[in-house]
Amino acid sequence: MSHDEHWLLLCGGVGGAKLALGLAHELPPGSLTVLVNTGDDFRHLGLWISPDLDTVTYTLAGLVNPATGWGLAGDTFHCLEGLSRLSGPDWFRLGDRDLATHLERTRRLAAGERLGSITSDLASRLGVSARIWPMSDDPVATLLHTDSGLLEFQDYFVRRQAAPVVRAIEYHGASEAGPAPGLANLLKDPGLAGIIIAPSNPWLSIDPILALPGLRQSLADARAPVVAVSPLIAGQAVKGPSAKIMRELGLPPDAQGIARHYLCLLDGFILDDRDEAEAAGIGLLGLETVAAPTLMRSLDDRRSLARVALGLARRLGNSIGRPHRQTG
Ligand code: FO1
């Protein structure tokens, strides 16, 4: 592998962070950039909280709570217990050590520092060699139009445990937000060997990124092949409400539905072995389709799925006459 090779992963929550870890182990230090959803961000207890940035950072630093995939392993919740005694909001579980991240991020934002610069500094102080970029330094809020009204993301996802029926999803502020500085250049960089869309929830974790001005077009224009990993296995989300949201939006919760969601952007698609029967149909959409184990329980699972994604992107990148991606 040529050492100027660079890779870009688009990701959101827990599933995305798992593949980020697999890729970080399979690639040389500094050759992976993880572009992270910030639509889940919100102000809570006076703190600015960026859950997906922290989930990716803690995961790549080897510090994440393995049981939940977010927060810090071994963290305590004394502050939250105290807050609850004072009848403060305790529905969003903030650990005592995790609070340091939110306090420091909030302090530095108030001092005028960019979210991207804060994120990179916190990651490097935690020993992370991959580049972790917020999708934008400007605020974007995923809002859900549901049968319980218009809900902020964490209110829907955590407080109401994704129970409300989703009618439509809005990425408030996305059209005014600037994509991460450096992203446009990275997408034009001849050393960019591939772009991978993680097995994150397409509607909640990837679409906020794709809603940024010009992003879809610059992905379509990029020479680097684009490969997506399905977040569903046998019609079920590995974690979270992907399948539920698909049904609520009137879409069949299957791998083909995921492929169609990203279709114009993709060259390749990875689905789980259990969904192999769908591979031919997705291939007819013009996508190089590979079936592989996509459930990531161990580090080896994460690394082997990363190798499948890297291998597919390399094959697509090398094949001269690869089917031209529809643009737009
Ligand atoms: N997810 C939950 O389901 N319950 C929580 O109490 C919770 C707290 C929390 C605290 C910090 C953090 O960085 C993430 C946290 N998450 C929690 C996950 C969060 O809701 C993410 O937005 C999801 O993982 C989706 O990306």
Side-chain angles (χ1 to χ4, degrees):
M1 160 180 35
S2 65
H3 284 289
D4 64 354
E5 204 182 64
H6 200 87
W7 294 83
L8 176 64
L9 175 73
L10 274 58
C11 92
V14 173
K18 288 178 177 174
L19 184 58
L21 186 63
L23 287 165
H25 279 267
E26 289 298 313
L27 293 169
S31 63
L32 173 67
T33 295
V34 187
L35 191 69
V36 182
N37 166 44
T38 57
D40 295 5
D41 293 12
F42 72 136
R43 180 162 290 283
H44 186 61
L45 303 172
L47 300 172
W48 185 256
I49 297 180
S50 300
D52 285 353
L53 287 175
D54 293 344
T55 292
V56 172
T57 302
Y58 291 165
T59 298
L60 292 181
L63 298 172
V64 80
N65 176 347
T68 54
W70 48 263
L72 288 167
D75 209 346
T76 52
F77 292 83
H78 301 298
C79 182
L80 205 68
E81 284 147 22
L83 191 68
S84 163
R85 269 200 296 282
L86 298 174
S87 79
D90 61 356
W91 56 272
F92 195 75
R93 313 281 303 149
L94 292 169
D96 296 317
R97 293 184 194 82
D98 188 27
L99 276 167
T101 303
H102 310 305
L103 287 164
E104 179 60 2
R105 175 179 286 122
T106 303
R107 183 186 71 78
R108 290 168 71 163
L109 285 170
E113 195 174 346
R114 285 188 310 105
L115 183 59
S117 141
I118 299 167
T119 303
S120 299
D121 186 58
L122 295 183
S124 63
R125 288 173 190 282
L126 294 178
V128 176
S129 63
R131 295 190 311 191
I132 302 176
W133 291 357
M135 68 186 196
S136 172
D137 287 326
D138 304 315
V140 177
T142 299
L143 303 177
L144 297 105
H145 296 262
T146 77
D147 60 352
S148 305
L150 182 61
L151 303 177
E152 271 198 335
F153 179 82
Q154 298 298 345
D155 182 11
Y156 160 77
F157 189 82
V158 176
R159 195 172 192 183
R160 300 165 190 252
Q161 296 173 8
V165 173
V166 174
R167 306 247 189 274
I169 305 170
E170 180 187 337
Y171 309 110
H172 186 72
S175 47
E176 296 80 45
L183 181 62
N185 288 342
L186 177 60
L187 291 171
K188 285 185 287 222
D189 182 339
L192 184 62
I195 301 162
I196 299 167
I197 299 180
S200 303
N201 183 316
W203 289 269
L204 301 184
S205 298
I206 304 296
D207 282 0
I209 301 175
L210 300 178
L212 293 170
L215 203 80
R216 281 182 174 274
Q217 193 55 50
S218 43
L219 283 175
D221 295 345
R223 282 178 56 257
V226 182
V227 168
V229 181
S230 173
L232 300 181
I233 297 178
Q236 301 288 323
V238 174
K239 180 181 176 74
S242 294
K244 176 175 181 285
I245 287 177
M246 290 175 86
R247 279 193 299 276
E248 290 165 355
L249 295 179
L251 301 166
D254 56 20
Q256 174 146 163
I258 302 293
R260 285 185 182 282
H261 185 75
Y262 295 128
L263 186 56
C264 305
L265 296 172
L266 297 186
D267 300 292
F269 189 74
I270 298 167
L271 42 65
D272 190 77
D273 285 329
R274 272 165 278 184
D275 297 318
E276 176 135 37
E278 291 195 62
I282 295 168
L284 291 176
L285 299 173
L287 298 181
E288 189 68 25
T289 305
V290 169
T294 62
L295 187 59
M296 296 180 277
R297 278 180 290 231
S298 67
L299 177 59
D300 278 350
D301 294 344
R302 290 158 172 74
R303 296 188 67 159
S304 59
L305 182 55
R307 283 196 298 275
V308 171
L310 294 168
L312 176 56
R314 284 201 181 99
R315 277 202 310 284
L316 288 163
N318 297 338
S319 66
I320 298 162
R322 64 186 172 84
H324 182 69
R325 194 164 54 232
Q326 299 103 341
T327 55

